[in-house]
Amino acid sequence: MRISIPISAFVAAIVGFGGTLAVVIAAAKAVGATQAETASWVTAVCVAMAIECLWLSWRTKIPIITAWSTPGLALMAASSGFTMADAVGAFIVTSLMLIATGLFKPLTQLISRIPASVASGMLAGIVVTFALNAVKTIPVDPWLILPLIAAFFVIRLFNPALSVLAVLIGGGIAAFQTGRVGGLPAPELSTLTLIAPHFSAAAVIGLALPLYLVTMASQNLSGLAVLRAAGYHPEPGPLIGVTGLFSLLSAPFGGSTTNLAAISAAICTGPDVHPNPAERWKTGPFYALAYLIFAVFGASLVAIFAVLPQSLIVLVAGLALMGSLANALSIALKDEDQRMAATVTFVVTASGLTLFGVGAAFWGLVAGLVVLSLEALKKR
């Protein structure tokens, strides 16, 4: 076996985990999760991803890589008025919808029919807040933040995948060395915390439905596209259904939705992994091993994030989503005929509008589809 297989798997896991853990922390804070619940959240998701990758890669002999829904977490972090119990209820409902999508092919086809411009406008509206907040950290602590921003844009010229991770590690070291952090917390092993779900119409419409749509449109469909680009053509239903099943099992412990990965998958599916495509599936078990390690030490990692400067966490979350924002905006505005609908979707979503207890992502999607329908009616 080539050494490039485990190396690629571990790099993908480290980039995926370290580069977006700040978004998980932000989502947990938005729903009022305690540190123990946040640690359980991270642990449950890591275990779910490890089992998914191990099973799907071995079963299909294809490098199936899964991840947590970063855009979905950004959606949660940008929401307000929800509790951790509401979030768990939303995770359960979203998981059931993913299972149904995996079982019934027409649902996958229906989601794929949502115009890419509108779906991308919604995603851009969700993540733009994080990019703006990252810029707002500059006056809070310019001597820490400005060098990190400069480092991010320099490093991404050579290795975009590692740029966010480099900022996180470098910023953490700088924060400790300059006395911005009192001291490292004592190491501790992770535990799972059972959280009773709460189901409400507001949480289903404002959290679960947008989370499902974002996960499908921005993650699962992109993940399938990465696999196809690498020469693999798996049946989508079983992959989506399995991620939905393990999302359902991890949800009572605070685990958010998991899905097919895109960026991490690209690292594990290319020719650099192995010249023979039939051998690349072996990255799956090593990727699973990495996430089992993260699961064991999830509590310690969350504790470390808890003592880091808030400005650093906000910066890392914003930089981690910068690529998603750029890609979403380019897709949203690409088609001139759908540009207005995409812009309306983006503006309404970014506004943070809440009506009848339902969040802005849902209303942004509705507004964009209405404008698109009116444009189509005019053409007729």
Side-chain angles (χ1 to χ4, degrees):
M1 183 180 64
R2 286 176 173 246
I3 190 64
S4 57
I5 290 178
I7 289 177
S8 298
F10 289 138
V11 168
I14 291 171
V15 169
F17 183 86
T20 56
L21 182 57
V23 186
V24 179
I25 304 298
K29 287 184 177 180
V31 295
T34 64
Q35 186 169 318
E37 290 172 338
T38 305
S40 179
W41 181 330
V42 172
T43 301
V45 174
C46 288
V47 171
M49 290 166 54
I51 298 174
E52 290 165 356
C53 293
L54 184 62
W55 168 253
L56 289 173
S57 296
W58 175 79
R59 189 76 176 81
T60 63
K61 295 299 184 287
I62 293 174
I64 305 298
I65 304 300
T66 63
W68 48 45
S69 177
T70 303
L73 293 167
L75 162 71
M76 294 191 63
S79 64
S80 60
F82 296 108
T83 65
M84 188 60 192
D86 292 325
V88 172
F91 295 155
I92 292 174
V93 173
T94 303
S95 301
L96 292 174
M97 287 192 284
L98 289 173
I99 293 172
T101 302
L103 292 175
F104 303 104
K105 191 174 182 179
L107 283 177
T108 306
Q109 296 172 337
L110 180 63
I111 296 300
S112 64
R113 291 181 61 184
I114 295 177
S117 57
V118 173
S120 297
M122 180 178 68
L123 176 58
I126 291 169
V127 301
V128 71
T129 303
F130 291 85
L132 294 174
N133 288 339
V135 176
K136 292 177 182 178
T137 62
I138 295 175
V140 176
D141 195 347
W143 296 108
L144 174 66
I145 300 301
L146 283 174
L148 292 175
I149 293 177
F152 169 78
F153 285 106
V154 171
I155 294 172
R156 73 179 300 274
L157 295 176
F158 306 97
N159 197 324
L162 292 177
S163 56
V164 176
L165 188 62
V167 170
L168 174 60
I169 295 174
I173 293 173
F176 280 104
Q177 289 182 338
T178 55
R180 289 174 170 85
V181 178
L184 284 172
E188 57 179 313
L189 296 179
S190 298
T191 57
L192 293 172
T193 302
L194 194 61
I195 304 168
H198 177 257
F199 300 96
S200 67
V204 169
I205 299 174
L207 277 183
L209 182 57
L211 178 58
Y212 167 74
L213 293 174
V214 166
T215 299
M216 282 298 302
S218 301
Q219 295 280 168
N220 282 331
L221 296 182
S222 298
L224 289 169
V226 168
L227 288 172
R228 293 191 183 105
Y232 303 103
H233 300 278
E235 183 66 29
L239 305 185
I240 296 172
V242 168
T243 59
L245 173 61
F246 283 101
S247 295
L248 179 63
L249 295 176
S250 65
F253 302 101
S256 55
T257 306
T258 55
N259 45 250
L260 298 178
I263 297 174
S264 300
I267 298 174
C268 295
T269 56
D272 291 341
V273 176
H274 198 286
N276 183 2
E279 292 293 314
R280 297 174 196 164
W281 72 270
K282 295 175 183 176
T283 56
F286 285 105
Y287 186 87
L289 175 61
Y291 268 92
L292 284 177
I293 295 172
F294 294 150
V296 172
F297 297 103
S300 293
L301 294 169
V302 170
I304 291 174
F305 267 73
V307 300
L308 290 175
Q310 182 63 24
S311 58
L312 175 60
I313 303 302
V314 173
L315 175 69
V316 172
L319 295 179
L321 293 168
M322 200 70 74
S324 297
L325 175 60
N327 185 59
L329 287 174
S330 65
I331 296 174
L333 302 177
K334 182 178 181 180
D335 191 334
E336 185 175 354
D337 292 338
Q338 299 179 2
R339 195 168 291 167
M340 180 57 71
T343 302
V344 170
T345 304
F346 169 75
V347 170
V348 174
T349 304
S351 71
L353 171 71
T354 299
L355 284 176
F356 312 112
V358 178
F362 174 79
W363 296 119
L365 182 65
V366 170
L369 292 176
V370 168
V371 172
L372 201 61
S373 300
L374 292 175
E375 295 281 356
L377 188 62
K378 176 185 176 182
K379 290 180 181 179
R380 293 197 193 101

